[in-house]
Amino acid sequence: MALRSTAPRNIHLQALQPGSLEVAEREVPVELQRHPRARRISLRISKTGDGIVMVLPKRAAIREAMDFAERNSGWILKHLEDQPARIAFAPGAIIPLFGVDHVVEHDAAAKRGVWRGEGRILVSGQAEHLPRRLGDFLKREAHREIGQRAREKAARIDRRIGRISLRDTRSRWGSCSSRGDMNFSWRLVLTPDYVLDYVVAHEVAHLMELNHSQRFWRLTDSLTPEMERAKDWLSREGGRVHRYG
């Protein structure tokens, strides 16, 4: 096993350039980070489930990270093998649209783009375009649902939202700027309805409380029916939605 990184050993950036790890002849992506308050090197499985994240103290050498990975190769391999398999956007794939399983079907002869049926997501056109078309469809659904809920919740507290953007973020489900602009992960469309609703409520509450005070949490709770249940789902299951596509 060898850890390879293109970052120089004396680098002092917060985020180091990514490398790779070879475990049992398996190439594993590695993300290296420095944290000013870290006291020791730590590692975890990435949210995508196919790589690892290593956090280094400010002055730790890359060589130390290589040795640490070497000593923990067994742990890395076991936890990678325990991760659920990635699910490509392809015919037969099961996609949890708003938390409800839908089977992807390809209808080459149809000229309807992408549409929902009973427990199905149907994609027309040439097969090689299916992944892109399905991804675009999911993002449109996410934008429509998030935008509608955000505007409704903002009206309830007499606030206005700015621009809504979708991204494929790994560390945040949503964010809200002081101007009221909001960013959301498009993958919220793959979570249960009450989870998406909570994340929208969370960001809308920041229009009044740009903090995480007790007042903020009370306001968020008033804007969504199952806040604690949604937080628990995101903690336990949230990483799984990154395996799609």
Side-chain angles (χ1 to χ4, degrees):
M1 180 188 74
L3 177 65
R4 297 188 292 275
S5 174
T6 56
R9 295 189 179 184
N10 63 347
I11 195 166
H12 293 290
L13 300 177
Q14 287 296 103
L16 307 181
Q17 296 182 24
S20 62
L21 184 72
E22 188 176 315
V23 182
E25 300 183 353
R26 174 176 176 176
E27 194 78 7
V28 177
V30 177
E31 180 183 348
L32 296 170
Q33 301 176 348
R34 290 198 189 277
H35 195 291
R37 292 191 295 274
R39 296 184 176 180
R40 58 184 175 83
I41 299 172
S42 63
L43 65 84
R44 65 178 185 273
I45 302 299
S46 65
K47 289 189 175 182
T48 58
D50 60 355
I52 64 170
V53 178
M54 297 188 69
V55 179
L56 284 66
K58 184 177 180 180
R59 298 186 183 280
I62 301 299
R63 179 72 253 175
E64 293 181 58
M66 296 169 68
D67 294 341
F68 186 81
E70 184 76 39
R71 294 194 301 272
N72 289 277
S73 59
W75 183 94
I76 293 169
L77 181 60
K78 177 183 183 301
H79 283 78
L80 286 175
E81 291 178 342
D82 288 343
Q83 297 301 306
R86 294 191 63 81
I87 299 174
F89 287 162
I94 298 177
I95 305 297
L97 184 60
F98 299 111
V100 178
D101 286 346
H102 287 66
V103 179
V104 177
E105 296 184 4
H106 180 223
D107 187 345
K111 299 183 182 297
R112 294 183 55 185
V114 184
W115 70 102
R116 295 174 64 180
E118 186 65 31
R120 300 180 297 166
I121 302 175
L122 298 100
V123 185
S124 63
Q126 298 179 6
E128 59 265 32
H129 299 313
L130 185 147
R132 175 183 57 78
R133 289 186 172 184
L134 178 55
D136 290 345
F137 166 79
L138 292 173
K139 292 169 187 176
R140 288 195 301 271
E141 289 291 291
H143 198 282
R144 175 187 59 79
E145 192 67 28
I146 289 171
Q148 178 180 323
R149 296 189 189 215
R151 287 187 287 272
E152 184 272 331
K153 294 180 189 299
R156 286 168 56 182
I157 60 173
D158 197 26
R159 291 291 190 275
R160 296 183 63 180
I161 60 175
R163 182 180 59 186
I164 294 179
S165 302
L166 296 185
R167 298 179 181 177
D168 193 7
T169 52
R170 305 290 181 183
S171 60
R172 290 186 177 185
W173 295 106
S175 63
C176 178
S177 74
S178 59
R179 298 189 303 270
D181 295 332
M182 297 182 179
N183 292 311
F184 293 93
S185 168
W186 71 262
R187 293 179 183 274
L188 286 167
V189 76
L190 304 176
T191 70
D193 180 84
Y194 67 91
V195 174
L196 182 147
D197 194 80
Y198 156 69
V199 175
V200 174
H202 184 117
E203 302 311 329
V204 169
H206 279 314
L207 295 173
M208 290 189 69
E209 299 286 341
L210 204 58
N211 53 60
H212 288 101
S213 63
Q214 290 185 354
R215 288 192 302 179
F216 165 81
W217 289 114
R218 286 195 296 269
L219 178 59
T220 303
D221 195 27
S222 73
L223 292 171
T224 189
E226 299 185 78
M227 182 178 76
E228 294 302 329
R229 183 186 176 201
K231 290 167 64 177
D232 181 62
W233 190 95
L234 287 172
S235 176
R236 291 183 296 102
E237 307 290 343
R240 291 178 176 267
V241 302
H242 292 284
R243 63 185 173 138
Y244 292 94

